[in-house]
Amino acid sequence: MLSTRHLLGIKDLTEEDLHLIFETADNFKEVINRPIKKVPSLRDITIANVFFENSTRTRLSFELAEKRLSADVINFSSASSSVKKGETLLDTVNNILSMKVDMIVMRHSSPGAPHFLSKHINANIVNAGDGTHEHPTQALLDSYSIRERLGDVAGKKVVIVGDILHSRVALSNIFALQKLGAEVMVCGPNTLIPRYIRDLGVKVELDIRKALQWCDVANVLRIQMERQQTKNFPSLREYSMYYGVNKELLDSIDKEITIMHPGPINRGVELTSDVADADNAIILDQVENGVAIRMAVLYLLAGKNG
Amino acid sequence: MAKINILNSKRLDITISRLSQQLIENHGDFKDSVIVGIQKSGVLLAERIKQRIKELADLDIPLGKLDITFHRDDFRRRDSPLAPNKTEIPFIIEGKNVILVDDVLYTGRSIRSAMDAMMAFGRPSKVEFLTLVDRKYSRHLPIEAKYVGKTVNSIQSQRVIVEWNEQGFAEDNIWLVNQ
């Protein structure tokens, strides 16, 4: 049984929780590869996907996971909602809950928004990303994909490359990987490395070549232009020259590195196409695993209502 | 806690032989027949049946393992969700005669879940159910076994415990336990 009623962040989970989610996801991975990819577990549950920020992959993945579990699903996006008319977050969610919704999957631009909600409402809450804070299901599927590819996460060396400063994926990944016994390094321009990141017990490397020589897995992040109010590097072209992962760079390193990316990829910026589409890139596996992981999370959280 | 032995190792072996012979009688060369064991104990029984048919008739029958956790009707009615086991059905069920196997038939709810779970793998031509122990007068659903190892009269406060050698027990035993 999970130690928590909500999935607000990886920080709140125990190592046992992570293993339970992975083991449950193993079974759901088998389910989503059956001729009929649906089980009736959540048939009496209604889930609201409440997205106050744009999302393609995460929202589709959650929606598919919910439908594979036979849940009733309603979708809400702030762009076409009464939030534009001045309604508060709590009022919006309470109105949705009045329609007898059991679970809320929420993405919000404000860090801590799902934590705030969890103190005021009774439904299970799943954080689908809160600003630059956490994105727990992405970290779960990333670690799960490493486990699937390399057999285990413990003892592996993982470098997270790129825009660490604005990345909720990076923070959740650091928590998940460390709980599972991996060594974590971050690599990127100094301006995109948070000042106190070493306090989390991660290594910092500014040279991409040295970082790649050190690691078993490179999780390459997208440059998040939408979150940057000031220029943290001169140009995308320069960033790509110094921190882009390309085939020439990987060929110059005498070992095979597993390449990951949470998507969407800016091809030619953080990854070149020949790297993104290579056999050692598990980017599409991450997407497939995302559905199984989210099914596991929803199933385990829903089961706690009993 | 009073324990009554329903079947000991020797009698269980005889029962498995009888059930296997009944299957051979009804399924002949097993050309379109498959065995599907329900996780967990049903799989152990199914493996024994498969092995015994191999010994008796030199036939190698396809065996599948079916987990019913995600199809149970008591989800969210327990304190916590049950941990699922592996489903492995390495053959097409479509058009086959399926022999569904479980160790104990009690309320019938597990079998209902199993039939629901099985339909995700296709539409069988026919489904038969084999059980080692049939707890009579306990059914919640209109489900009966075609092949029965032993029928017992039991009350709700009693439990049937099946101990398999494969699970680490010194020998096979089936007990009726007063809780």
Side-chain angles (χ1 to χ4, degrees):
Chain A
M1 187 159 71
L2 283 181
S3 64
T4 171
R5 272 197 73 228
H6 309 287
L7 180 61
L8 303 176
I10 300 293
K11 201 176 179 183
D12 308 320
L13 299 180
T14 64
E15 187 188 342
E16 290 70 32
D17 287 335
L18 297 179
H19 288 299
L20 175 62
I21 291 167
F22 290 173
E23 283 154 19
T24 310
D26 286 341
N27 292 283
F28 282 122
K29 192 142 187 200
E30 181 271 317
V31 168
I32 61 179
N33 284 293
R34 287 179 187 177
I36 296 168
K37 304 161 175 56
K38 206 174 170 89
V39 291
S41 305
L42 267 58
R43 70 191 138 202
D44 56 347
I45 290 193
T46 306
I47 302 175
N49 297 316
V50 182
F51 279 67
F52 292 92
E53 236 188 12
N54 291 339
S55 167
T56 306
R57 227 166 315 267
T58 304
R59 198 171 60 79
L60 283 177
S61 183
F62 265 112
E63 195 172 338
L64 196 55
E66 291 151 5
K67 288 177 173 170
R68 294 270 191 259
L69 289 164
S70 306
D72 290 323
V73 179
I74 54 171
N75 288 305
F76 164 97
S77 101
S78 63
S80 55
S81 76
S82 292
V83 171
K84 295 284 178 208
K85 301 173 188 172
E87 193 177 47
T88 66
L89 168 64
L90 195 54
D91 281 342
T92 300
V93 172
N94 272 326
N95 274 279
I96 292 167
L97 290 177
S98 298
M99 299 174 203
K100 306 294 176 238
V101 167
D102 304 286
M103 292 177 93
I104 300 277
V105 174
M106 187 174 82
R107 170 168 289 191
H108 202 282
S109 57
S110 298
H115 303 70
F116 164 78
L117 268 194
S118 70
K119 290 179 173 65
H120 292 88
I121 64 171
N122 199 28
N124 302 99
I125 297 166
V126 180
N127 181 3
D130 58 333
T132 56
H133 178 224
E134 279 224 46
H135 191 350
T137 54
Q138 182 66 48
L140 287 167
L141 74 91
D142 286 350
S143 296
Y144 182 79
S145 301
I146 293 171
R147 170 184 175 262
E148 186 181 59
R149 182 73 167 205
L150 303 177
D152 197 0
V153 180
K156 299 295 178 290
K157 294 175 175 175
V158 183
V159 64
I160 304 169
V161 181
D163 187 355
I164 313 298
L165 185 66
H166 300 98
S167 176
R168 53 193 173 209
V169 174
L171 191 60
S172 286
N173 258 286
I174 289 167
F175 291 144
L177 292 164
Q178 287 181 334
K179 280 177 200 277
L180 293 164
E183 281 185 78
V184 187
M185 176 187 279
V186 294
C187 175
N190 228 337
T191 47
L192 292 176
I193 304 283
R195 189 181 298 178
Y196 301 109
I197 194 85
R198 283 186 178 84
D199 294 350
L200 296 177
V202 301
K203 295 178 169 65
V204 176
E205 178 56 69
L206 302 181
D207 184 329
I208 184 73
R209 183 181 297 277
K210 285 181 183 170
L212 293 175
Q213 275 165 339
W214 173 85
C215 75
D216 303 306
V217 179
N219 195 349
V220 185
L221 305 179
R222 183 176 62 90
I223 291 293
Q224 300 194 44
M225 299 308 282
E226 73 276 18
R227 294 195 199 278
Q228 301 189 37
Q229 309 306 321
T230 55
K231 263 198 163 316
N232 291 293
F233 50 87
S235 68
L236 281 178
R237 186 167 169 274
E238 185 163 321
Y239 177 86
S240 172
M241 276 175 62
Y242 285 98
Y243 289 98
V245 179
N246 56 50
K247 194 169 185 305
E248 190 187 350
L249 178 59
L250 288 177
D251 286 346
S252 70
I253 291 159
D254 57 355
K255 61 175 178 179
E256 188 174 272
I257 296 163
T258 300
I259 301 292
M260 300 172 71
H261 194 298
I265 305 171
N266 292 316
R267 283 177 184 260
V269 179
E270 64 264 8
L271 282 180
T272 53
S273 282
D274 50 9
V275 171
D277 303 330
D279 289 343
N280 59 322
I282 56 169
I283 298 163
L284 292 177
D285 297 339
Q286 288 172 263
V287 178
E288 182 185 340
N289 290 339
V291 177
I293 279 286
R294 289 178 176 114
M295 284 174 83
V297 165
L298 295 167
Y299 173 80
L300 291 167
L301 288 177
K304 281 190 74 75
N305 279 0
Chain B
M1 195 169 71
K3 282 170 81 174
I4 304 159
N5 190 269
I6 303 173
L7 284 173
N8 61 21
S9 177
K10 194 175 172 185
R11 287 172 59 208
L12 179 58
D13 195 57
I14 293 165
T15 304
I16 287 172
S17 288
R18 175 175 54 80
L19 291 168
S20 302
Q21 280 161 342
Q22 282 180 287
L23 289 175
I24 293 165
E25 202 174 313
N26 287 344
H27 289 264
D29 61 0
F30 287 86
K31 189 168 70 72
D32 290 316
S33 301
V34 296
I35 297 179
V36 174
I38 298 173
Q39 288 279 24
K40 288 183 170 178
S41 279
V43 170
L44 297 174
L45 174 60
E47 282 168 342
R48 294 277 189 103
I49 299 270
K50 175 186 161 84
Q51 180 61 34
R52 189 57 47 91
I53 291 171
K54 174 86 180 146
E55 290 162 10
L56 293 169
D58 196 27
L59 293 166
D60 205 3
I61 311 157
L63 172 75
K65 300 171 185 179
L66 183 69
D67 182 70
I68 61 168
T69 309
F70 302 135
H71 295 262
R72 293 177 66 103
D73 60 6
D74 60 354
F75 183 62
R76 280 163 66 87
R77 288 162 180 83
R78 300 171 151 265
D79 290 339
S80 63
L82 289 165
N85 295 289
K86 235 189 175 76
T87 290
E88 280 176 33
I89 302 190
F91 45 78
I92 303 294
I93 274 180
E94 187 77 26
K96 291 276 192 284
N97 299 318
V98 176
I99 303 149
L100 204 54
V101 177
D102 204 3
D103 57 346
V104 181
L105 171 58
Y106 180 33
T107 62
R109 289 178 186 272
S110 295
I111 312 309
R112 191 225 44 91
S113 303
M115 287 194 283
D116 187 14
M118 207 170 53
M119 297 306 165
F121 295 90
R123 182 178 180 271
S125 171
K126 190 165 133 188
V127 181
E128 293 177 342
F129 178 48
L130 179 150
T131 189
L132 200 51
V133 179
D134 179 359
R135 293 184 65 174
K136 228 172 159 187
Y137 311 123
S138 310
R139 222 67 80 234
H140 293 183
L141 297 169
I143 284 170
E144 294 302 333
K146 180 163 183 178
Y147 308 96
V148 177
K150 185 160 180 78
T151 303
V152 294
N153 293 335
S154 63
I155 52 175
Q156 207 178 345
S157 63
Q158 293 175 312
R159 278 185 66 205
V160 172
I161 294 177
V162 183
E163 294 176 348
W164 294 100
N165 194 240
E166 292 89 330
Q167 293 173 316
F169 293 98
E171 54 177 25
D172 301 329
N173 268 306
I174 302 181
W175 307 92
L176 185 64
V177 179
N178 291 311
Q179 289 179 299

